[in-house]
Amino acid sequence: MSAENGLGDNPSVLTITAAVQPGNSGGPLLDRDGAIIGVVIAKLSAKAMLASIGTLPENVNFAVRGAELIKFLDVNAVLYPRGQETVFDLEEGVPEHVQGAIVPVFCHD
């Protein structure tokens, strides 16, 4: 994490420097202990920044905080699994049981 808040000092969003590629949106943002602390939502547009201020941003990306996601799911009565907190070392990769917990979530009006 590179900043506590997102653009415009938005407290529901984290600014991150982890590389984000097209298709990463909706993926989990994990801390060093493997706890999910957010969900990747966007990357800063290099093209827009170049046109706006004449410079290219490097690894400026955003994730919604996990607490905000939980509030959203609860307000919209979306059921989701609530497991026990488990700490693991990501230096050895993402454990197989965590990989299986990543599923797409679609929200419609």
Side-chain angles (χ1 to χ4, degrees):
M1 176 174 57
S2 62
E4 289 290 325
N5 295 330
L7 286 177
D9 207 27
N10 183 347
S12 66
V13 177
L14 301 166
T15 302
I16 58 175
T17 56
V20 169
Q21 303 301 322
N24 289 152
S25 293
L29 175 64
L30 308 175
D31 69 11
R32 291 178 188 207
D33 293 324
I36 298 173
I37 59 170
V39 176
V40 175
I41 58 170
K43 80 183 282 173
L44 191 61
S45 169
K47 186 176 180 180
M49 291 303 294
L50 184 60
S52 175
I53 62 172
T55 188
L56 291 171
E58 294 184 27
N59 278 339
V60 181
N61 307 301
F62 305 97
V64 67
R65 291 178 183 275
E68 293 296 318
L69 176 60
I70 289 171
K71 278 195 264 184
F72 173 82
L73 294 173
D74 289 343
V75 164
N76 290 283
V78 176
L79 298 176
Y80 56 93
R82 298 172 194 235
Q84 296 178 2
E85 185 174 319
T86 304
V87 177
F88 51 87
D89 184 1
L90 289 178
E91 294 293 325
E92 298 176 21
V94 178
E96 208 170 299
H97 72 281
V98 173
Q99 292 176 20
I102 301 169
V103 297
V105 175
F106 301 97
C107 301
H108 304 278
D109 289 337

